[in-house]
Amino acid sequence: MNKMILMSKLLILSFFLTGCLQAIKNSDSQQTSYSGLGSESLSAETIKAFAPPALGDEISKQIQRMLDIREPARGIPSNDGESIYFTWNVTGKYQVWKTSKKQGFPEQLTGGENPAYLTGLLPNDEFLVISRDQKGEENPGLYLLSSAGGKLKKIFHEPKVQASFQGASEDSQFVYFSANSKNPKDRTLYRFHIPTGQIEKIFDEPGTWVIADMKGNERLLLAKLTGALSREFFEFNLNTKNLIPVLGQGKSEDIIVSYGPNTGEFFVLTNMLSNFKRLYSLKNGSFNPISEEVNFDGESYSIDDQRKRLTYSINENGWNRPHFLDARSLSPLPLPKIEADQLSIGNFSFNGRFLTMTVEVDGGPASVYLYDFDSKTFAPRISPQAPEIDTQGFSEASIEYYTARDGTKIPMLVRKPVVCADPCPVIIHFHGGPEAQSRPGFSAFSQIFVDAGFVFVEPNVRGSSGYGKDWISADDGAKRLNVITDIEDASVWIKANWKSGDQAPKVGIMGYSYGGYSTLLGMTQFADSFDAGVALVGMSNLVSFLENTAPYRRHLRISEYGDPEKDREALLKLSPVTYVDRAKNPLLIIHGVSDPRVPAGEAVQIYQKLKDRAVDVSLILMSDEGHGSASRSSQALEIGHTVDFFAKKLQRK
């Protein structure tokens, strides 16, 4: 089973804040201003009152034009290398497609009003496993689809239950999956017998369990998620039902484990032994390094199902540096011969001969290539779509640094327009996660703002992945109080260093999810530093967020932010609602009604508090959308209103 693997996190501490205790008490007394999540937690009147207004024709055309750029997903190759199955949003909604050497344009295999995603291909190439959700609720079901196309066959799909593909047996008789049907916060493991349609429960202990790998028809490597990025690994025997600890018990570090090719051997990607994640071979309790020792994180690795070939990537300031090895001897294998800006590893065919990869060349969107380990050929198979757009004119990201108040250098990606008003207005976009990383490479999203005349800046503040264990764990729990000022310091540094004469640029702030939370903090706690903001699906109160987020996420998020009971005071100090009395500049809030991660009540409650204080604040609720918009029409409205808002609030007359 192929596994592409990422990032890590955990630690704590605390810090300052003057004159906010009374504000915290006031916020605390009002913190339960909503309950629940999804459309059931909001009245129909509220949803209708804050529906997105129509966009102006000119800005709508600009956004729609850029949304025509479509990059295919990496996909899964068949055992003969003839076909690649992949997910693509070329129709405006994600669906599953197939391409082969014999055909021209790829063939669409799924359709309809709800998006579909490819999650697996059976070892015999006969069936695909499809995940399908509705309205962004993140309660997907699983379906089988013949690789030749046709109707979907349901594996499992129940209301308000999240099912996730976990692998397939080598004989292609069983599909393994997890579902939180017994308890919303736990994951039970099942297997579906394809010939009979029977579902069998195979593992039912409390906790969030996934299948990390499997070997033969009886050995499963299970992972129990214990935190935002921490996991405990066990080997489970399907016949004897024995559960044997392997690695990670009681650990807070990031650990990823899979079976190695030799008896008793495991491959492990972890930062347990150093500040940076490295890939190791673990045998008889001894760790032997595979990847080189560098001051960059090992980002992901994958071993084919035949245990013949091993791939891994190093994250060098956001650029992928792939490596191929013989899985048994660990000797290097030749890499594809191509000059590329970004070269990202995709998925193996079951027989291990073929590997998909995505390739960015000359600043353009990614294409999917197929590498043949036997013939050493590397050929393009799926091209991106960019009608009537010269992507070579897009702004390329440069890595620059700003200085935080404690002297720490914070990396940021900077994209600049060719021409703009002097000084050029700046939009600072904070990524989600927080365990994520803004990365260089092609970005149609960023270019939309560059084309609108803004310098587009993407910081990787402390808490971001890719820069080692100390960096990513710097904001865990109450330690976030020490580094949350990285948000304000970005604007302070830019206004001081990017002046035109004596005039500082206007600076806006935006982001999705944790980036939306960062935006709300920027516009409240750090209100003097930002001239306008757009918060998308962001948290306004960390206590109410943790109390109302979907149960399957709550305990994992607590490891990142803190416990709403034990760490209540710190969480309120870190909550934007605590500082609404400081807010003064224009703010637009956009949120999906069906969002199960950050409930829409987070948007409504801070909107009302700011409105009560006569702040220039607007709210847009996207019906039938969840944690960010999935449909093209909603994306156009979401991005279009963001660009239009900043154009009106930041650009000088």
Side-chain angles (χ1 to χ4, degrees):
M1 184 198 329
N2 297 327
K3 287 289 179 185
M4 297 305 297
I5 314 151
L6 298 126
M7 326 322 173
S8 135
K9 204 124 179 125
L10 225 69
L11 277 140
I12 39 185
L13 226 121
S14 79
F15 160 86
F16 78 0
L17 284 161
T18 57
C20 67
L21 291 180
Q22 188 58 46
I24 291 170
K25 291 178 182 178
N26 293 340
S27 170
D28 197 17
S29 66
Q30 302 175 45
Q31 69 90 16
T32 53
S33 59
Y34 77 95
S35 63
L37 51 84
S39 58
E40 297 172 2
S41 65
L42 298 175
S43 70
E45 293 76 18
T46 298
I47 296 171
K48 183 178 180 181
F50 296 105
L55 277 175
D57 286 345
E58 189 59 35
I59 194 162
S60 180
K61 289 177 182 177
Q62 293 171 6
I63 302 302
Q64 293 286 0
R65 183 168 164 268
M66 294 297 281
L67 290 178
D68 278 337
I69 298 175
R70 310 289 191 185
E71 292 182 290
R74 294 166 189 168
I76 306 174
S78 60
N79 287 308
D80 59 8
E82 285 292 321
S83 299
I84 298 176
Y85 304 91
F86 63 103
T87 304
W88 205 11
N89 66 339
V90 73
T91 63
K93 191 161 291 185
Y94 284 100
Q95 299 294 349
V96 178
W97 295 70
K98 172 185 178 180
T99 188
S100 69
K101 290 181 179 178
K102 300 174 184 177
Q103 67 190 52
F105 195 77
E107 174 188 357
Q108 185 175 348
L109 298 181
T110 64
E113 63 176 350
N114 292 314
Y117 301 88
L118 175 65
T119 58
L121 174 63
L122 266 59
N124 63 6
D125 291 342
E126 185 176 348
F127 288 105
L128 314 177
V129 182
I130 306 296
S131 175
R132 171 159 275 169
D133 190 25
Q134 59 182 8
K135 298 181 179 181
E137 294 172 345
E138 296 187 19
N139 292 316
L142 293 176
Y143 298 83
L144 281 179
L145 174 65
S146 168
S147 56
K151 291 185 177 181
L152 297 182
K153 177 182 178 181
K154 185 172 77 170
I155 296 174
F156 181 92
H157 199 173
E158 293 183 2
K160 299 184 178 180
V161 174
Q162 190 176 61
S164 176
F165 173 65
Q166 298 295 316
S169 60
E170 290 183 359
D171 59 8
S172 296
Q173 294 291 295
F174 292 97
V175 169
Y176 293 82
F177 68 94
S178 66
N180 59 344
S181 50
K182 182 178 178 182
N183 186 320
K185 69 177 183 178
D186 295 331
R187 294 290 184 96
T188 301
L189 299 178
Y190 301 88
R191 66 179 181 180
F192 173 83
H193 188 230
I194 295 173
T196 65
Q198 295 296 309
I199 292 177
E200 174 191 2
K201 186 183 345 181
I202 61 171
F203 189 80
D204 191 22
E205 288 199 10
T208 303
W209 294 86
V210 299
I211 299 176
D213 203 354
M214 55 180 65
K215 207 168 190 180
N217 292 321
E218 62 181 45
R219 293 165 62 195
L220 301 180
L221 185 64
L222 304 185
K224 181 180 181 181
L225 279 60
T226 56
L229 289 169
S230 58
R231 311 157 194 86
E232 296 177 349
F233 288 83
F234 302 81
E235 188 171 54
F236 179 66
N237 189 301
L238 279 168
N239 296 328
T240 66
K241 308 302 180 185
N242 288 337
L243 188 68
I244 302 172
V246 173
L247 189 66
Q249 284 66 34
K251 301 291 185 181
S252 61
E253 290 91 349
D254 189 3
I255 304 170
I256 296 294
V257 183
S258 66
Y259 285 116
N262 304 306
T263 302
E265 181 184 30
F266 299 93
F267 288 144
V268 181
L269 179 69
T270 185
N271 54 14
M272 283 176 57
L273 307 179
S274 70
N275 185 35
F276 295 94
K277 286 190 287 184
R278 291 185 73 183
L279 182 60
Y280 301 87
S281 169
L282 173 63
K283 194 170 183 180
N284 299 323
S286 177
F287 287 89
N288 297 301
I290 296 173
S291 62
E292 62 270 40
E293 185 174 6
V294 292
N295 290 334
F296 299 108
D297 271 333
E299 178 174 74
S300 61
Y301 77 94
S302 182
I303 183 171
D304 72 289
D305 293 275
Q306 309 308 312
R307 315 288 160 179
K308 293 189 296 186
R309 298 178 176 104
L310 174 68
T311 69
Y312 70 91
S313 287
I314 301 295
N315 181 343
E316 296 185 8
N317 286 322
W319 276 276
N320 294 316
R321 299 292 180 251
H323 300 261
F324 292 175
L325 302 175
D326 181 285
R328 292 178 172 84
S329 67
L330 299 180
S331 57
L333 296 176
L335 286 167
K337 295 180 179 179
I338 189 171
E339 292 292 329
D341 302 325
Q342 282 278 29
L343 189 60
S344 301
I345 296 169
N347 297 291
F348 281 106
S349 58
F350 177 75
N351 61 12
R353 176 177 172 179
F354 299 99
L355 177 72
T356 57
M357 302 185 75
T358 54
V359 179
E360 292 183 24
V361 179
D362 295 331
S367 299
V368 175
Y369 278 59
L370 189 67
Y371 185 63
D372 183 339
F373 280 92
D374 288 355
S375 67
K376 307 297 186 293
T377 56
F378 190 53
R381 293 291 297 273
I382 313 169
S383 299
Q385 302 293 311
E388 298 186 28
I389 298 175
D390 179 10
T391 58
Q392 290 191 351
F394 279 26
S395 174
E396 292 189 25
S398 62
I399 294 182
E400 302 183 27
Y401 296 84
Y402 69 90
T403 306
R405 62 194 63 189
D406 64 358
T408 301
K409 299 291 185 182
I410 310 293
M412 58 180 174
L413 302 177
V414 180
R415 291 179 168 89
K416 297 179 179 179
V418 176
V419 178
C420 66
D422 198 15
C424 208
V426 177
I427 295 174
I428 304 178
H429 175 261
F430 288 92
H431 64 66
E435 324 91 336
Q437 181 186 22
S438 291
R439 307 189 67 157
F442 180 82
S443 173
F445 177 80
S446 302
Q447 189 65 30
I448 289 172
F449 295 91
V450 173
D451 285 347
F454 300 102
V455 176
F456 198 72
V457 176
E458 298 173 283
N460 283 310
V461 297
R462 281 171 281 192
S464 303
S465 62
Y467 303 94
K469 179 166 58 178
D470 294 344
W471 192 271
I472 198 172
S473 65
D475 68 340
D476 288 347
K479 286 175 65 178
R480 184 169 275 101
L481 288 164
N482 290 334
V483 299
I484 202 68
T485 48
D486 286 356
I487 297 170
E488 181 181 34
D489 291 343
S491 178
V492 170
W493 188 91
I494 285 170
K495 287 189 173 186
N497 289 274
W498 289 359
K499 290 181 177 179
S500 176
D502 294 330
Q503 191 173 48
K506 287 191 174 184
V507 176
I509 180 173
M510 70 168 292
Y512 289 78
S513 193
Y514 186 82
Y517 159 78
S518 300
T519 298
L520 292 175
L521 264 186
M523 297 302 295
T524 56
Q525 184 177 359
F526 308 124
D528 289 332
S529 297
F530 295 97
D531 299 294
V534 180
L536 303 106
V537 294
M539 305 90 79
S540 62
N541 184 325
L542 293 184
V543 174
S544 59
F545 155 65
L546 290 169
E547 290 176 342
N548 289 285
T549 191
Y552 70 87
R553 301 187 74 251
R554 187 171 298 123
H555 74 286
L556 302 179
R557 292 292 87 193
I558 283 174
S559 72
E560 170 67 40
Y561 296 107
D563 188 283
E565 293 184 7
K566 298 176 184 177
D567 304 306
R568 191 180 192 85
E569 183 176 339
L571 289 171
L572 289 170
K573 283 183 179 180
L574 288 162
S575 294
V577 292
T578 299
Y579 308 99
V580 290
D581 59 327
R582 301 184 187 181
K584 57 186 178 181
N585 288 325
L587 172 66
L588 171 61
I589 303 170
I590 303 176
H591 215 108
V593 169
S594 301
D595 193 340
R597 304 190 195 189
V598 180
E602 291 294 305
V604 174
Q605 70 181 359
I606 194 166
Y607 166 80
Q608 194 56 58
K609 291 177 185 296
L610 293 170
K611 199 70 176 174
D612 291 345
R613 288 165 173 77
V615 175
D616 180 3
V617 60
S618 302
L619 173 65
I620 293 176
L621 295 177
M622 310 293 292
S623 64
D624 296 338
E625 295 290 354
H627 197 61
S629 293
S631 71
R632 176 179 174 132
S633 58
S634 294
Q635 289 172 359
L637 287 167
E638 189 174 86
I639 299 171
H641 282 296
T642 299
V643 173
D644 187 53
F645 177 83
F646 281 130
K648 292 173 179 175
K649 305 300 182 181
L650 293 183
Q651 290 179 331
R652 301 182 190 277
K653 306 299 182 184

mmCIF file with all atom_site columns, all heavy atoms in Angstrom, residues 109 127 143-146 149-154:
data_model
loop_
_atom_site.group_PDB
_atom_site.id
_atom_site.type_symbol
_atom_site.label_atom_id
_atom_site.label_alt_id
_atom_site.label_comp_id
_atom_site.label_asym_id
_atom_site.label_entity_id
_atom_site.label_seq_id
_atom_site.pdbx_PDB_ins_code
_atom_site.Cartn_x
_atom_site.Cartn_y
_atom_site.Cartn_z
_atom_site.occupancy
_atom_site.B_iso_or_equiv
_atom_site.pdbx_formal_charge
_atom_site.auth_seq_id
_atom_site.auth_comp_id
_atom_site.auth_asym_id
_atom_site.auth_atom_id
_atom_site.pdbx_PDB_model_num
ATOM 1  N N   . LEU A 1 109 ? -15.019 9.364  -15.486 1.00 0.00 ? 109 LEU A N   1
ATOM 2  C CA  . LEU A 1 109 ? -15.648 8.150  -14.971 1.00 0.00 ? 109 LEU A CA  1
ATOM 3  C C   . LEU A 1 109 ? -16.765 8.417  -13.974 1.00 0.00 ? 109 LEU A C   1
ATOM 4  O O   . LEU A 1 109 ? -17.646 7.572  -13.794 1.00 0.00 ? 109 LEU A O   1
ATOM 5  C CB  . LEU A 1 109 ? -14.595 7.246  -14.310 1.00 0.00 ? 109 LEU A CB  1
ATOM 6  C CG  . LEU A 1 109 ? -13.469 6.733  -15.220 1.00 0.00 ? 109 LEU A CG  1
ATOM 7  C CD1 . LEU A 1 109 ? -12.517 5.843  -14.423 1.00 0.00 ? 109 LEU A CD1 1
ATOM 8  C CD2 . LEU A 1 109 ? -14.024 5.971  -16.406 1.00 0.00 ? 109 LEU A CD2 1
ATOM 9  N N   . PHE A 1 127 ? -11.127 -2.733 -10.024 1.00 0.00 ? 127 PHE A N   1
ATOM 10 C CA  . PHE A 1 127 ? -12.010 -1.729 -9.436  1.00 0.00 ? 127 PHE A CA  1
ATOM 11 C C   . PHE A 1 127 ? -11.220 -0.558 -8.863  1.00 0.00 ? 127 PHE A C   1
ATOM 12 O O   . PHE A 1 127 ? -10.103 -0.721 -8.369  1.00 0.00 ? 127 PHE A O   1
ATOM 13 C CB  . PHE A 1 127 ? -12.861 -2.330 -8.307  1.00 0.00 ? 127 PHE A CB  1
ATOM 14 C CG  . PHE A 1 127 ? -13.941 -3.258 -8.769  1.00 0.00 ? 127 PHE A CG  1
ATOM 15 C CD1 . PHE A 1 127 ? -13.799 -4.630 -8.617  1.00 0.00 ? 127 PHE A CD1 1
ATOM 16 C CD2 . PHE A 1 127 ? -15.108 -2.763 -9.356  1.00 0.00 ? 127 PHE A CD2 1
ATOM 17 C CE1 . PHE A 1 127 ? -14.788 -5.497 -9.033  1.00 0.00 ? 127 PHE A CE1 1
ATOM 18 C CE2 . PHE A 1 127 ? -16.109 -3.630 -9.771  1.00 0.00 ? 127 PHE A CE2 1
ATOM 19 C CZ  . PHE A 1 127 ? -15.956 -4.998 -9.612  1.00 0.00 ? 127 PHE A CZ  1
ATOM 20 N N   . TYR A 1 143 ? -17.305 3.843  -2.374  1.00 0.00 ? 143 TYR A N   1
ATOM 21 C CA  . TYR A 1 143 ? -17.957 3.129  -3.467  1.00 0.00 ? 143 TYR A CA  1
ATOM 22 C C   . TYR A 1 143 ? -16.920 2.418  -4.314  1.00 0.00 ? 143 TYR A C   1
ATOM 23 O O   . TYR A 1 143 ? -15.762 2.844  -4.389  1.00 0.00 ? 143 TYR A O   1
ATOM 24 C CB  . TYR A 1 143 ? -18.737 4.109  -4.346  1.00 0.00 ? 143 TYR A CB  1
ATOM 25 C CG  . TYR A 1 143 ? -19.859 4.823  -3.617  1.00 0.00 ? 143 TYR A CG  1
ATOM 26 C CD1 . TYR A 1 143 ? -19.600 5.957  -2.854  1.00 0.00 ? 143 TYR A CD1 1
ATOM 27 C CD2 . TYR A 1 143 ? -21.164 4.354  -3.691  1.00 0.00 ? 143 TYR A CD2 1
ATOM 28 C CE1 . TYR A 1 143 ? -20.620 6.610  -2.179  1.00 0.00 ? 143 TYR A CE1 1
ATOM 29 C CE2 . TYR A 1 143 ? -22.199 5.005  -3.019  1.00 0.00 ? 143 TYR A CE2 1
ATOM 30 C CZ  . TYR A 1 143 ? -21.916 6.130  -2.266  1.00 0.00 ? 143 TYR A CZ  1
ATOM 31 O OH  . TYR A 1 143 ? -22.927 6.767  -1.594  1.00 0.00 ? 143 TYR A OH  1
ATOM 32 N N   . LEU A 1 144 ? -17.351 1.350  -4.958  1.00 0.00 ? 144 LEU A N   1
ATOM 33 C CA  . LEU A 1 144 ? -16.543 0.674  -5.962  1.00 0.00 ? 144 LEU A CA  1
ATOM 34 C C   . LEU A 1 144 ? -16.976 1.133  -7.344  1.00 0.00 ? 144 LEU A C   1
ATOM 35 O O   . LEU A 1 144 ? -18.167 1.345  -7.592  1.00 0.00 ? 144 LEU A O   1
ATOM 36 C CB  . LEU A 1 144 ? -16.722 -0.845 -5.881  1.00 0.00 ? 144 LEU A CB  1
ATOM 37 C CG  . LEU A 1 144 ? -15.983 -1.620 -4.795  1.00 0.00 ? 144 LEU A CG  1
ATOM 38 C CD1 . LEU A 1 144 ? -16.344 -3.090 -4.905  1.00 0.00 ? 144 LEU A CD1 1
ATOM 39 C CD2 . LEU A 1 144 ? -14.474 -1.433 -4.889  1.00 0.00 ? 144 LEU A CD2 1
ATOM 40 N N   . LEU A 1 145 ? -16.015 1.279  -8.232  1.00 0.00 ? 145 LEU A N   1
ATOM 41 C CA  . LEU A 1 145 ? -16.289 1.629  -9.613  1.00 0.00 ? 145 LEU A CA  1
ATOM 42 C C   . LEU A 1 145 ? -15.403 0.778  -10.505 1.00 0.00 ? 145 LEU A C   1
ATOM 43 O O   . LEU A 1 145 ? -14.188 0.710  -10.295 1.00 0.00 ? 145 LEU A O   1
ATOM 44 C CB  . LEU A 1 145 ? -16.002 3.118  -9.858  1.00 0.00 ? 145 LEU A CB  1
ATOM 45 C CG  . LEU A 1 145 ? -16.110 3.608  -11.305 1.00 0.00 ? 145 LEU A CG  1
ATOM 46 C CD1 . LEU A 1 145 ? -17.542 3.508  -11.817 1.00 0.00 ? 145 LEU A CD1 1
ATOM 47 C CD2 . LEU A 1 145 ? -15.606 5.047  -11.421 1.00 0.00 ? 145 LEU A CD2 1
ATOM 48 N N   . SER A 1 146 ? -16.004 0.120  -11.484 1.00 0.00 ? 146 SER A N   1
ATOM 49 C CA  . SER A 1 146 ? -15.212 -0.648 -12.429 1.00 0.00 ? 146 SER A CA  1
ATOM 50 C C   . SER A 1 146 ? -14.205 0.263  -13.120 1.00 0.00 ? 146 SER A C   1
ATOM 51 O O   . SER A 1 146 ? -14.512 1.411  -13.463 1.00 0.00 ? 146 SER A O   1
ATOM 52 C CB  . SER A 1 146 ? -16.122 -1.302 -13.472 1.00 0.00 ? 146 SER A CB  1
ATOM 53 O OG  . SER A 1 146 ? -15.367 -1.829 -14.545 1.00 0.00 ? 146 SER A OG  1
ATOM 54 N N   . GLY A 1 149 ? -15.429 1.865  -16.081 1.00 0.00 ? 149 GLY A N   1
ATOM 55 C CA  . GLY A 1 149 ? -16.521 2.815  -15.947 1.00 0.00 ? 149 GLY A CA  1
ATOM 56 C C   . GLY A 1 149 ? -17.824 2.117  -15.614 1.00 0.00 ? 149 GLY A C   1
ATOM 57 O O   . GLY A 1 149 ? -17.888 0.897  -15.437 1.00 0.00 ? 149 GLY A O   1
ATOM 58 N N   . GLY A 1 150 ? -18.907 2.896  -15.492 1.00 0.00 ? 150 GLY A N   1
ATOM 59 C CA  . GLY A 1 150 ? -20.213 2.337  -15.158 1.00 0.00 ? 150 GLY A CA  1
ATOM 60 C C   . GLY A 1 150 ? -20.760 2.903  -13.869 1.00 0.00 ? 150 GLY A C   1
ATOM 61 O O   . GLY A 1 150 ? -20.349 3.968  -13.409 1.00 0.00 ? 150 GLY A O   1
ATOM 62 N N   . LYS A 1 151 ? -21.694 2.164  -13.261 1.00 0.00 ? 151 LYS A N   1
ATOM 63 C CA  . LYS A 1 151 ? -22.342 2.634  -12.044 1.00 0.00 ? 151 LYS A CA  1
ATOM 64 C C   . LYS A 1 151 ? -21.480 2.383  -10.808 1.00 0.00 ? 151 LYS A C   1
ATOM 65 O O   . LYS A 1 151 ? -20.707 1.420  -10.750 1.00 0.00 ? 151 LYS A O   1
ATOM 66 C CB  . LYS A 1 151 ? -23.697 1.932  -11.872 1.00 0.00 ? 151 LYS A CB  1
ATOM 67 C CG  . LYS A 1 151 ? -24.745 2.347  -12.894 1.00 0.00 ? 151 LYS A CG  1
ATOM 68 C CD  . LYS A 1 151 ? -26.092 1.701  -12.566 1.00 0.00 ? 151 LYS A CD  1
ATOM 69 C CE  . LYS A 1 151 ? -27.162 2.170  -13.543 1.00 0.00 ? 151 LYS A CE  1
ATOM 70 N NZ  . LYS A 1 151 ? -28.492 1.573  -13.241 1.00 0.00 ? 151 LYS A NZ  1
ATOM 71 N N   . LEU A 1 152 ? -21.664 3.238  -9.812  1.00 0.00 ? 152 LEU A N   1
ATOM 72 C CA  . LEU A 1 152 ? -20.993 3.035  -8.535  1.00 0.00 ? 152 LEU A CA  1
ATOM 73 C C   . LEU A 1 152 ? -21.712 1.951  -7.741  1.00 0.00 ? 152 LEU A C   1
ATOM 74 O O   . LEU A 1 152 ? -22.947 1.849  -7.759  1.00 0.00 ? 152 LEU A O   1
ATOM 75 C CB  . LEU A 1 152 ? -20.987 4.325  -7.719  1.00 0.00 ? 152 LEU A CB  1
ATOM 76 C CG  . LEU A 1 152 ? -20.239 5.535  -8.294  1.00 0.00 ? 152 LEU A CG  1
ATOM 77 C CD1 . LEU A 1 152 ? -20.318 6.700  -7.315  1.00 0.00 ? 152 LEU A CD1 1
ATOM 78 C CD2 . LEU A 1 152 ? -18.792 5.199  -8.588  1.00 0.00 ? 152 LEU A CD2 1
ATOM 79 N N   . LYS A 1 153 ? -20.939 1.163  -7.007  1.00 0.00 ? 153 LYS A N   1
ATOM 80 C CA  . LYS A 1 153 ? -21.475 0.157  -6.088  1.00 0.00 ? 153 LYS A CA  1
ATOM 81 C C   . LYS A 1 153 ? -21.094 0.558  -4.670  1.00 0.00 ? 153 LYS A C   1
ATOM 82 O O   . LYS A 1 153 ? -19.909 0.724  -4.367  1.00 0.00 ? 153 LYS A O   1
ATOM 83 C CB  . LYS A 1 153 ? -20.908 -1.219 -6.414  1.00 0.00 ? 153 LYS A CB  1
ATOM 84 C CG  . LYS A 1 153 ? -21.362 -2.317 -5.442  1.00 0.00 ? 153 LYS A CG  1
ATOM 85 C CD  . LYS A 1 153 ? -20.716 -3.656 -5.782  1.00 0.00 ? 153 LYS A CD  1
ATOM 86 C CE  . LYS A 1 153 ? -21.122 -4.743 -4.805  1.00 0.00 ? 153 LYS A CE  1
ATOM 87 N NZ  . LYS A 1 153 ? -20.472 -6.052 -5.121  1.00 0.00 ? 153 LYS A NZ  1
ATOM 88 N N   . LYS A 1 154 ? -22.096 0.731  -3.827  1.00 0.00 ? 154 LYS A N   1
ATOM 89 C CA  . LYS A 1 154 ? -21.829 1.226  -2.474  1.00 0.00 ? 154 LYS A CA  1
ATOM 90 C C   . LYS A 1 154 ? -21.094 0.185  -1.635  1.00 0.00 ? 154 LYS A C   1
ATOM 91 O O   . LYS A 1 154 ? -21.474 -0.972 -1.585  1.00 0.00 ? 154 LYS A O   1
ATOM 92 C CB  . LYS A 1 154 ? -23.129 1.620  -1.775  1.00 0.00 ? 154 LYS A CB  1
ATOM 93 C CG  . LYS A 1 154 ? -22.895 2.263  -0.409  1.00 0.00 ? 154 LYS A CG  1
ATOM 94 C CD  . LYS A 1 154 ? -24.172 2.824  0.194   1.00 0.00 ? 154 LYS A CD  1
ATOM 95 C CE  . LYS A 1 154 ? -25.035 1.731  0.759   1.00 0.00 ? 154 LYS A CE  1
ATOM 96 N NZ  . LYS A 1 154 ? -26.164 2.285  1.560   1.00 0.00 ? 154 LYS A NZ  1
#
